[in-house]
Amino acid sequence: MRIVGGFLKGLIALGMIAAVIIFGVWVWKATEAVNPIKQNTCTGSQTFTIKPNQTVQEVSDALAAAGLVDNSFFFRARLKLLNAETKLQAGTFVLACNQDYDAIINRLITPNDIAAVHFTVIEGWRLEQIAETLGSSAIVSPTHFLEATTTYTGAVNYINGSDVLAAAGIPHDHGLEGFLFPDTYDAKQDTSGDSTDAVIQVMLNGFEDRLSSLSDSGMAGVISDAAKLKVDNKPANLYEVITLASIVQREAAVESEMPEIAQIYWNRMIPGKLGPGVPMYLDADPTLQYALGKPGAWWPQITDTSFTNPYNTYNNELLPPGPIANPGLAAIRATLHPSGNDYLYFVAKCDGSGQHYFAKTLEEQSINQAKCQGR
């Protein structure tokens, strides 16, 4: 009887262990099944705050209420299985609405002092586009971002905090347009949920780091190379180089043509190069687009070149007042080291290649323009 009793007790114990395992597997599978987020309750990203001493139940319920997880119970079960219940950090986090449970948990157990926001800025975007894109992902406050970047008052602390920017020649009525280097970044997330300052600083650091790579002498060599270029027979400064690079970025669809287009613009700023008494107009369409851009159409089609605006390079000589976008490294390199050609004009080909015809005279330009007729 003792043998039978022991055997029965063993069976019961094994049964209980099996039940626990089955329940664990069920919870695991259940949480795996509900990992996708309900897209109809949460879109883009949201800021989410865990308060000090907040319970796991309260955090899970708040995540569910925000639409960031499907089910509070299953989220708690997943926390328990990952032994993460006691690891949740107090603070404010930016959570994307398409993350699964494990990604959310990993984010919420990462202390904010090392947490980062991941973002990408495209070459040729203007400040408003950056604000819109990063604002839609709750990475920055668009209002705060534009206040800090579009005016000298907002940008002065960044400028004064950088030897490069302080010496770049940024006028006192302009901000950071052109100097936020387009790239993919990780920036430290602010505990308030607004990482504007960190985003701006990391992009300015990117600008200095990448520009320094253009010369064996680092930034000093870049400044020296800029001074070898001329605007109306005067040495160019870094601000003028970045201003022209932003135009080249918007104008050149093919990277290999950037040095050619940059040289054409430098040529057009040589007194008398276009002809005796001919104004040194750049005739750059992207500067007009910058002047006319608005939400929903930051780079509109140009139908009139006669309107009055400081950025209209069809009736204002030399460079516009400042950069029109944030150029990438290829455009900046091409502007610092143009091709050396003697062209003065270019016009887009009509074959969809994004390439251009180049010309030294108006007659050649007219011939090139005629090549598109009848297509």
PDB file of all heavy atoms in Angstrom, residues 44-49 68 91-97 99 103-104 107-108 112 115-118 134-140 189-195:
ATOM      1  N   GLY A  44       1.025  55.910 -35.153  1.00  0.00           N
ATOM      2  CA  GLY A  44       2.245  56.682 -34.975  1.00  0.00           C
ATOM      3  C   GLY A  44       2.959  56.296 -33.694  1.00  0.00           C
ATOM      4  O   GLY A  44       3.287  55.133 -33.473  1.00  0.00           O
ATOM      5  N   SER A  45       3.191  57.267 -32.839  1.00  0.00           N
ATOM      6  CA  SER A  45       3.841  57.029 -31.557  1.00  0.00           C
ATOM      7  C   SER A  45       3.113  57.813 -30.469  1.00  0.00           C
ATOM      8  O   SER A  45       2.395  58.767 -30.756  1.00  0.00           O
ATOM      9  CB  SER A  45       5.310  57.461 -31.606  1.00  0.00           C
ATOM     10  OG  SER A  45       6.032  56.711 -32.565  1.00  0.00           O
ATOM     11  N   GLN A  46       3.316  57.385 -29.232  1.00  0.00           N
ATOM     12  CA  GLN A  46       2.729  58.091 -28.099  1.00  0.00           C
ATOM     13  C   GLN A  46       3.757  58.199 -26.985  1.00  0.00           C
ATOM     14  O   GLN A  46       4.633  57.343 -26.848  1.00  0.00           O
ATOM     15  CB  GLN A  46       1.511  57.342 -27.559  1.00  0.00           C
ATOM     16  CG  GLN A  46       0.305  57.320 -28.475  1.00  0.00           C
ATOM     17  CD  GLN A  46      -0.908  56.758 -27.751  1.00  0.00           C
ATOM     18  OE1 GLN A  46      -1.056  56.890 -26.536  1.00  0.00           O
ATOM     19  NE2 GLN A  46      -1.789  56.106 -28.491  1.00  0.00           N
ATOM     20  N   THR A  47       3.640  59.255 -26.211  1.00  0.00           N
ATOM     21  CA  THR A  47       4.439  59.327 -24.988  1.00  0.00           C
ATOM     22  C   THR A  47       3.674  58.597 -23.888  1.00  0.00           C
ATOM     23  O   THR A  47       2.454  58.677 -23.812  1.00  0.00           O
ATOM     24  CB  THR A  47       4.686  60.787 -24.564  1.00  0.00           C
ATOM     25  OG1 THR A  47       3.436  61.451 -24.408  1.00  0.00           O
ATOM     26  CG2 THR A  47       5.526  61.512 -25.602  1.00  0.00           C
ATOM     27  N   PHE A  48       4.416  57.858 -23.081  1.00  0.00           N
ATOM     28  CA  PHE A  48       3.801  57.065 -22.012  1.00  0.00           C
ATOM     29  C   PHE A  48       4.630  57.248 -20.744  1.00  0.00           C
ATOM     30  O   PHE A  48       5.854  57.109 -20.771  1.00  0.00           O
ATOM     31  CB  PHE A  48       3.750  55.586 -22.402  1.00  0.00           C
ATOM     32  CG  PHE A  48       3.106  54.710 -21.364  1.00  0.00           C
ATOM     33  CD1 PHE A  48       1.733  54.638 -21.263  1.00  0.00           C
ATOM     34  CD2 PHE A  48       3.883  53.976 -20.468  1.00  0.00           C
ATOM     35  CE1 PHE A  48       1.128  53.837 -20.306  1.00  0.00           C
ATOM     36  CE2 PHE A  48       3.288  53.176 -19.508  1.00  0.00           C
ATOM     37  CZ  PHE A  48       1.906  53.113 -19.423  1.00  0.00           C
ATOM     38  N   THR A  49       3.961  57.556 -19.659  1.00  0.00           N
ATOM     39  CA  THR A  49       4.653  57.859 -18.400  1.00  0.00           C
ATOM     40  C   THR A  49       4.374  56.798 -17.345  1.00  0.00           C
ATOM     41  O   THR A  49       3.222  56.417 -17.125  1.00  0.00           O
ATOM     42  CB  THR A  49       4.221  59.232 -17.859  1.00  0.00           C
ATOM     43  OG1 THR A  49       4.560  60.239 -18.822  1.00  0.00           O
ATOM     44  CG2 THR A  49       4.924  59.546 -16.551  1.00  0.00           C
ATOM     45  N   LEU A  68      -1.711  50.835 -26.663  1.00  0.00           N
ATOM     46  CA  LEU A  68      -0.349  50.391 -26.943  1.00  0.00           C
ATOM     47  C   LEU A  68      -0.202  48.874 -26.794  1.00  0.00           C
ATOM     48  O   LEU A  68       0.722  48.283 -27.365  1.00  0.00           O
ATOM     49  CB  LEU A  68       0.626  51.112 -26.010  1.00  0.00           C
ATOM     50  CG  LEU A  68       0.828  52.606 -26.332  1.00  0.00           C
ATOM     51  CD1 LEU A  68       1.426  53.349 -25.147  1.00  0.00           C
ATOM     52  CD2 LEU A  68       1.709  52.767 -27.566  1.00  0.00           C
ATOM     53  N   GLY A  91       9.406  57.148 -15.465  1.00  0.00           N
ATOM     54  CA  GLY A  91       9.835  58.123 -16.460  1.00  0.00           C
ATOM     55  C   GLY A  91       8.862  58.205 -17.608  1.00  0.00           C
ATOM     56  O   GLY A  91       7.817  57.526 -17.626  1.00  0.00           O
ATOM     57  N   THR A  92       9.182  59.032 -18.578  1.00  0.00           N
ATOM     58  CA  THR A  92       8.347  59.206 -19.765  1.00  0.00           C
ATOM     59  C   THR A  92       9.056  58.596 -20.961  1.00  0.00           C
ATOM     60  O   THR A  92      10.241  58.849 -21.191  1.00  0.00           O
ATOM     61  CB  THR A  92       8.068  60.699 -20.031  1.00  0.00           C
ATOM     62  OG1 THR A  92       7.361  61.240 -18.909  1.00  0.00           O
ATOM     63  CG2 THR A  92       7.217  60.873 -21.286  1.00  0.00           C
ATOM     64  N   PHE A  93       8.317  57.804 -21.715  1.00  0.00           N
ATOM     65  CA  PHE A  93       8.882  57.072 -22.841  1.00  0.00           C
ATOM     66  C   PHE A  93       8.090  57.375 -24.112  1.00  0.00           C
ATOM     67  O   PHE A  93       6.898  57.675 -24.042  1.00  0.00           O
ATOM     68  CB  PHE A  93       8.831  55.559 -22.577  1.00  0.00           C
ATOM     69  CG  PHE A  93       9.465  55.141 -21.281  1.00  0.00           C
ATOM     70  CD1 PHE A  93       8.742  55.194 -20.092  1.00  0.00           C
ATOM     71  CD2 PHE A  93      10.771  54.708 -21.240  1.00  0.00           C
ATOM     72  CE1 PHE A  93       9.315  54.823 -18.885  1.00  0.00           C
ATOM     73  CE2 PHE A  93      11.355  54.321 -20.047  1.00  0.00           C
ATOM     74  CZ  PHE A  93      10.618  54.377 -18.863  1.00  0.00           C
ATOM     75  N   VAL A  94       8.763  57.288 -25.251  1.00  0.00           N
ATOM     76  CA  VAL A  94       8.077  57.370 -26.537  1.00  0.00           C
ATOM     77  C   VAL A  94       7.949  55.950 -27.081  1.00  0.00           C
ATOM     78  O   VAL A  94       8.948  55.266 -27.289  1.00  0.00           O
ATOM     79  CB  VAL A  94       8.852  58.246 -27.543  1.00  0.00           C
ATOM     80  CG1 VAL A  94       8.148  58.239 -28.907  1.00  0.00           C
ATOM     81  CG2 VAL A  94       8.961  59.674 -27.026  1.00  0.00           C
ATOM     82  N   LEU A  95       6.703  55.500 -27.260  1.00  0.00           N
ATOM     83  CA  LEU A  95       6.446  54.130 -27.713  1.00  0.00           C
ATOM     84  C   LEU A  95       5.748  54.153 -29.063  1.00  0.00           C
ATOM     85  O   LEU A  95       4.733  54.823 -29.231  1.00  0.00           O
ATOM     86  CB  LEU A  95       5.572  53.385 -26.701  1.00  0.00           C
ATOM     87  CG  LEU A  95       6.140  53.234 -25.280  1.00  0.00           C
ATOM     88  CD1 LEU A  95       5.117  52.553 -24.383  1.00  0.00           C
ATOM     89  CD2 LEU A  95       7.445  52.450 -25.299  1.00  0.00           C
ATOM     90  N   ALA A  96       6.299  53.424 -30.025  1.00  0.00           N
ATOM     91  CA  ALA A  96       5.660  53.303 -31.327  1.00  0.00           C
ATOM     92  C   ALA A  96       4.470  52.366 -31.221  1.00  0.00           C
ATOM     93  O   ALA A  96       4.478  51.396 -30.458  1.00  0.00           O
ATOM     94  CB  ALA A  96       6.656  52.772 -32.366  1.00  0.00           C
ATOM     95  N   CYS A  97       3.427  52.649 -31.984  1.00  0.00           N
ATOM     96  CA  CYS A  97       2.182  51.884 -31.874  1.00  0.00           C
ATOM     97  C   CYS A  97       2.239  50.514 -32.536  1.00  0.00           C
ATOM     98  O   CYS A  97       1.315  49.733 -32.408  1.00  0.00           O
ATOM     99  CB  CYS A  97       1.034  52.702 -32.474  1.00  0.00           C
ATOM    100  SG  CYS A  97       0.665  54.191 -31.526  1.00  0.00           S
ATOM    101  N   GLN A  99       4.727  48.267 -31.992  1.00  0.00           N
ATOM    102  CA  GLN A  99       5.682  47.414 -31.294  1.00  0.00           C
ATOM    103  C   GLN A  99       4.982  46.225 -30.635  1.00  0.00           C
ATOM    104  O   GLN A  99       3.843  46.336 -30.188  1.00  0.00           O
ATOM    105  CB  GLN A  99       6.419  48.222 -30.211  1.00  0.00           C
ATOM    106  CG  GLN A  99       7.349  49.287 -30.759  1.00  0.00           C
ATOM    107  CD  GLN A  99       8.126  49.974 -29.665  1.00  0.00           C
ATOM    108  OE1 GLN A  99       9.302  49.708 -29.452  1.00  0.00           O
ATOM    109  NE2 GLN A  99       7.462  50.864 -28.940  1.00  0.00           N
ATOM    110  N   ALA A 103       9.207  44.270 -27.258  1.00  0.00           N
ATOM    111  CA  ALA A 103       9.843  45.560 -27.551  1.00  0.00           C
ATOM    112  C   ALA A 103       9.407  46.623 -26.551  1.00  0.00           C
ATOM    113  O   ALA A 103      10.209  47.438 -26.093  1.00  0.00           O
ATOM    114  CB  ALA A 103       9.508  46.002 -28.975  1.00  0.00           C
ATOM    115  N   ILE A 104       8.120  46.607 -26.202  1.00  0.00           N
ATOM    116  CA  ILE A 104       7.612  47.573 -25.222  1.00  0.00           C
ATOM    117  C   ILE A 104       8.253  47.328 -23.862  1.00  0.00           C
ATOM    118  O   ILE A 104       8.691  48.265 -23.184  1.00  0.00           O
ATOM    119  CB  ILE A 104       6.076  47.480 -25.122  1.00  0.00           C
ATOM    120  CG1 ILE A 104       5.443  47.972 -26.430  1.00  0.00           C
ATOM    121  CG2 ILE A 104       5.558  48.293 -23.942  1.00  0.00           C
ATOM    122  CD1 ILE A 104       3.944  47.766 -26.490  1.00  0.00           C
ATOM    123  N   ARG A 107      11.761  48.483 -23.727  1.00  0.00           N
ATOM    124  CA  ARG A 107      11.849  49.945 -23.635  1.00  0.00           C
ATOM    125  C   ARG A 107      11.547  50.430 -22.225  1.00  0.00           C
ATOM    126  O   ARG A 107      12.204  51.341 -21.709  1.00  0.00           O
ATOM    127  CB  ARG A 107      10.857  50.576 -24.634  1.00  0.00           C
ATOM    128  CG  ARG A 107      10.884  52.082 -24.657  1.00  0.00           C
ATOM    129  CD  ARG A 107      12.218  52.582 -25.216  1.00  0.00           C
ATOM    130  NE  ARG A 107      12.372  54.012 -24.971  1.00  0.00           N
ATOM    131  CZ  ARG A 107      12.843  54.527 -23.845  1.00  0.00           C
ATOM    132  NH1 ARG A 107      13.224  53.742 -22.854  1.00  0.00           N
ATOM    133  NH2 ARG A 107      12.945  55.834 -23.692  1.00  0.00           N
ATOM    134  N   LEU A 108      10.548  49.809 -21.586  1.00  0.00           N
ATOM    135  CA  LEU A 108      10.112  50.270 -20.277  1.00  0.00           C
ATOM    136  C   LEU A 108      11.034  49.844 -19.141  1.00  0.00           C
ATOM    137  O   LEU A 108      10.922  50.369 -18.030  1.00  0.00           O
ATOM    138  CB  LEU A 108       8.693  49.774 -19.989  1.00  0.00           C
ATOM    139  CG  LEU A 108       7.599  50.299 -20.922  1.00  0.00           C
ATOM    140  CD1 LEU A 108       6.240  49.751 -20.509  1.00  0.00           C
ATOM    141  CD2 LEU A 108       7.577  51.821 -20.950  1.00  0.00           C
ATOM    142  N   ASN A 112      15.927  55.856 -18.423  1.00  0.00           N
ATOM    143  CA  ASN A 112      15.881  56.987 -19.343  1.00  0.00           C
ATOM    144  C   ASN A 112      17.230  57.655 -19.544  1.00  0.00           C
ATOM    145  O   ASN A 112      17.443  58.345 -20.524  1.00  0.00           O
ATOM    146  CB  ASN A 112      14.871  58.030 -18.845  1.00  0.00           C
ATOM    147  CG  ASN A 112      13.548  57.906 -19.568  1.00  0.00           C
ATOM    148  OD1 ASN A 112      13.508  57.550 -20.737  1.00  0.00           O
ATOM    149  ND2 ASN A 112      12.462  58.182 -18.870  1.00  0.00           N
ATOM    150  N   ALA A 115      18.344  55.775 -22.485  1.00  0.00           N
ATOM    151  CA  ALA A 115      17.366  55.512 -23.536  1.00  0.00           C
ATOM    152  C   ALA A 115      17.611  56.449 -24.715  1.00  0.00           C
ATOM    153  O   ALA A 115      18.142  57.540 -24.568  1.00  0.00           O
ATOM    154  CB  ALA A 115      15.954  55.718 -23.001  1.00  0.00           C
ATOM    155  N   ALA A 116      17.234  56.025 -25.888  1.00  0.00           N
ATOM    156  CA  ALA A 116      17.478  56.830 -27.085  1.00  0.00           C
ATOM    157  C   ALA A 116      16.276  56.784 -28.008  1.00  0.00           C
ATOM    158  O   ALA A 116      15.509  55.822 -28.009  1.00  0.00           O
ATOM    159  CB  ALA A 116      18.720  56.329 -27.812  1.00  0.00           C
ATOM    160  N   VAL A 117      16.120  57.855 -28.767  1.00  0.00           N
ATOM    161  CA  VAL A 117      15.131  57.860 -29.834  1.00  0.00           C
ATOM    162  C   VAL A 117      15.888  57.690 -31.142  1.00  0.00           C
ATOM    163  O   VAL A 117      16.973  58.242 -31.323  1.00  0.00           O
ATOM    164  CB  VAL A 117      14.316  59.176 -29.842  1.00  0.00           C
ATOM    165  CG1 VAL A 117      13.391  59.232 -28.662  1.00  0.00           C
ATOM    166  CG2 VAL A 117      15.231  60.401 -29.845  1.00  0.00           C
ATOM    167  N   HIS A 118      15.325  56.907 -32.021  1.00  0.00           N
ATOM    168  CA  HIS A 118      15.964  56.575 -33.299  1.00  0.00           C
ATOM    169  C   HIS A 118      15.206  57.302 -34.404  1.00  0.00           C
ATOM    170  O   HIS A 118      13.985  57.210 -34.479  1.00  0.00           O
ATOM    171  CB  HIS A 118      15.898  55.061 -33.505  1.00  0.00           C
ATOM    172  CG  HIS A 118      16.663  54.570 -34.688  1.00  0.00           C
ATOM    173  ND1 HIS A 118      18.039  54.496 -34.706  1.00  0.00           N
ATOM    174  CD2 HIS A 118      16.243  54.117 -35.906  1.00  0.00           C
ATOM    175  CE1 HIS A 118      18.430  54.010 -35.874  1.00  0.00           C
ATOM    176  NE2 HIS A 118      17.368  53.785 -36.615  1.00  0.00           N
ATOM    177  N   LEU A 134       9.495  64.394 -37.516  1.00  0.00           N
ATOM    178  CA  LEU A 134       9.850  63.957 -36.171  1.00  0.00           C
ATOM    179  C   LEU A 134       8.738  64.266 -35.183  1.00  0.00           C
ATOM    180  O   LEU A 134       8.563  63.548 -34.194  1.00  0.00           O
ATOM    181  CB  LEU A 134      11.150  64.624 -35.727  1.00  0.00           C
ATOM    182  CG  LEU A 134      12.385  64.351 -36.605  1.00  0.00           C
ATOM    183  CD1 LEU A 134      13.647  64.873 -35.929  1.00  0.00           C
ATOM    184  CD2 LEU A 134      12.525  62.872 -36.928  1.00  0.00           C
ATOM    185  N   GLY A 135       7.961  65.299 -35.462  1.00  0.00           N
ATOM    186  CA  GLY A 135       6.823  65.610 -34.611  1.00  0.00           C
ATOM    187  C   GLY A 135       5.740  64.558 -34.708  1.00  0.00           C
ATOM    188  O   GLY A 135       5.104  64.206 -33.709  1.00  0.00           O
ATOM    189  N   SER A 136       5.536  64.022 -35.911  1.00  0.00           N
ATOM    190  CA  SER A 136       4.502  62.995 -36.096  1.00  0.00           C
ATOM    191  C   SER A 136       4.848  61.701 -35.370  1.00  0.00           C
ATOM    192  O   SER A 136       3.974  60.886 -35.092  1.00  0.00           O
ATOM    193  CB  SER A 136       4.293  62.711 -37.591  1.00  0.00           C
ATOM    194  OG  SER A 136       5.445  62.084 -38.151  1.00  0.00           O
ATOM    195  N   SER A 137       6.130  61.509 -35.073  1.00  0.00           N
ATOM    196  CA  SER A 137       6.566  60.328 -34.329  1.00  0.00           C
ATOM    197  C   SER A 137       6.772  60.636 -32.848  1.00  0.00           C
ATOM    198  O   SER A 137       7.335  59.822 -32.112  1.00  0.00           O
ATOM    199  CB  SER A 137       7.882  59.794 -34.922  1.00  0.00           C
ATOM    200  OG  SER A 137       7.704  59.395 -36.267  1.00  0.00           O
ATOM    201  N   ALA A 138       6.348  61.830 -32.436  1.00  0.00           N
ATOM    202  CA  ALA A 138       6.443  62.257 -31.031  1.00  0.00           C
ATOM    203  C   ALA A 138       7.882  62.300 -30.530  1.00  0.00           C
ATOM    204  O   ALA A 138       8.142  62.149 -29.341  1.00  0.00           O
ATOM    205  CB  ALA A 138       5.595  61.357 -30.132  1.00  0.00           C
ATOM    206  N   ILE A 139       8.825  62.513 -31.447  1.00  0.00           N
ATOM    207  CA  ILE A 139      10.230  62.614 -31.058  1.00  0.00           C
ATOM    208  C   ILE A 139      10.557  64.037 -30.620  1.00  0.00           C
ATOM    209  O   ILE A 139      11.323  64.264 -29.692  1.00  0.00           O
ATOM    210  CB  ILE A 139      11.142  62.163 -32.217  1.00  0.00           C
ATOM    211  CG1 ILE A 139      10.948  60.656 -32.461  1.00  0.00           C
ATOM    212  CG2 ILE A 139      12.609  62.475 -31.924  1.00  0.00           C
ATOM    213  CD1 ILE A 139      11.670  60.141 -33.676  1.00  0.00           C
ATOM    214  N   VAL A 140       9.989  65.011 -31.340  1.00  0.00           N
ATOM    215  CA  VAL A 140      10.187  66.416 -30.975  1.00  0.00           C
ATOM    216  C   VAL A 140       8.836  67.109 -30.884  1.00  0.00           C
ATOM    217  O   VAL A 140       7.829  66.614 -31.402  1.00  0.00           O
ATOM    218  CB  VAL A 140      11.062  67.168 -32.009  1.00  0.00           C
ATOM    219  CG1 VAL A 140      12.398  66.491 -32.202  1.00  0.00           C
ATOM    220  CG2 VAL A 140      10.333  67.316 -33.357  1.00  0.00           C
ATOM    221  N   GLN A 189      16.828  60.399 -25.058  1.00  0.00           N
ATOM    222  CA  GLN A 189      15.433  60.788 -24.867  1.00  0.00           C
ATOM    223  C   GLN A 189      15.274  61.605 -23.600  1.00  0.00           C
ATOM    224  O   GLN A 189      15.752  61.241 -22.528  1.00  0.00           O
ATOM    225  CB  GLN A 189      14.529  59.564 -24.776  1.00  0.00           C
ATOM    226  CG  GLN A 189      13.056  59.921 -24.615  1.00  0.00           C
ATOM    227  CD  GLN A 189      12.180  58.696 -24.522  1.00  0.00           C
ATOM    228  OE1 GLN A 189      12.653  57.595 -24.694  1.00  0.00           O
ATOM    229  NE2 GLN A 189      10.917  58.886 -24.236  1.00  0.00           N
ATOM    230  N   ASP A 190      14.612  62.741 -23.714  1.00  0.00           N
ATOM    231  CA  ASP A 190      14.354  63.582 -22.564  1.00  0.00           C
ATOM    232  C   ASP A 190      13.236  62.972 -21.716  1.00  0.00           C
ATOM    233  O   ASP A 190      12.279  62.411 -22.248  1.00  0.00           O
ATOM    234  CB  ASP A 190      13.944  64.981 -23.025  1.00  0.00           C
ATOM    235  CG  ASP A 190      13.923  65.978 -21.887  1.00  0.00           C
ATOM    236  OD1 ASP A 190      12.876  66.054 -21.206  1.00  0.00           O
ATOM    237  OD2 ASP A 190      14.928  66.659 -21.681  1.00  0.00           O
ATOM    238  N   THR A 191      13.354  63.078 -20.411  1.00  0.00           N
ATOM    239  CA  THR A 191      12.349  62.477 -19.532  1.00  0.00           C
ATOM    240  C   THR A 191      10.986  63.141 -19.682  1.00  0.00           C
ATOM    241  O   THR A 191       9.971  62.584 -19.282  1.00  0.00           O
ATOM    242  CB  THR A 191      12.785  62.585 -18.061  1.00  0.00           C
ATOM    243  OG1 THR A 191      13.074  63.960 -17.759  1.00  0.00           O
ATOM    244  CG2 THR A 191      14.031  61.756 -17.809  1.00  0.00           C
ATOM    245  N   SER A 192      10.947  64.345 -20.281  1.00  0.00           N
ATOM    246  CA  SER A 192       9.671  65.024 -20.490  1.00  0.00           C
ATOM    247  C   SER A 192       8.914  64.453 -21.690  1.00  0.00           C
ATOM    248  O   SER A 192       7.744  64.749 -21.889  1.00  0.00           O
ATOM    249  CB  SER A 192       9.902  66.518 -20.717  1.00  0.00           C
ATOM    250  OG  SER A 192      10.552  66.740 -21.969  1.00  0.00           O
ATOM    251  N   GLY A 193       9.605  63.639 -22.505  1.00  0.00           N
ATOM    252  CA  GLY A 193       8.993  63.119 -23.722  1.00  0.00           C
ATOM    253  C   GLY A 193       9.270  63.976 -24.933  1.00  0.00           C
ATOM    254  O   GLY A 193       8.967  63.580 -26.052  1.00  0.00           O
ATOM    255  N   ASP A 194       9.844  65.166 -24.754  1.00  0.00           N
ATOM    256  CA  ASP A 194      10.195  66.061 -25.852  1.00  0.00           C
ATOM    257  C   ASP A 194      11.715  66.088 -25.980  1.00  0.00           C
ATOM    258  O   ASP A 194      12.407  66.685 -25.161  1.00  0.00           O
ATOM    259  CB  ASP A 194       9.658  67.468 -25.579  1.00  0.00           C
ATOM    260  CG  ASP A 194      10.101  68.475 -26.636  1.00  0.00           C
ATOM    261  OD1 ASP A 194      10.613  68.046 -27.689  1.00  0.00           O
ATOM    262  OD2 ASP A 194       9.930  69.688 -26.412  1.00  0.00           O
ATOM    263  N   SER A 195      12.232  65.417 -27.019  1.00  0.00           N
ATOM    264  CA  SER A 195      13.681  65.295 -27.186  1.00  0.00           C
ATOM    265  C   SER A 195      14.235  66.321 -28.164  1.00  0.00           C
ATOM    266  O   SER A 195      15.275  66.094 -28.783  1.00  0.00           O
ATOM    267  CB  SER A 195      14.026  63.875 -27.658  1.00  0.00           C
ATOM    268  OG  SER A 195      13.627  62.917 -26.705  1.00  0.00           O
TER     269      SER A 195
END
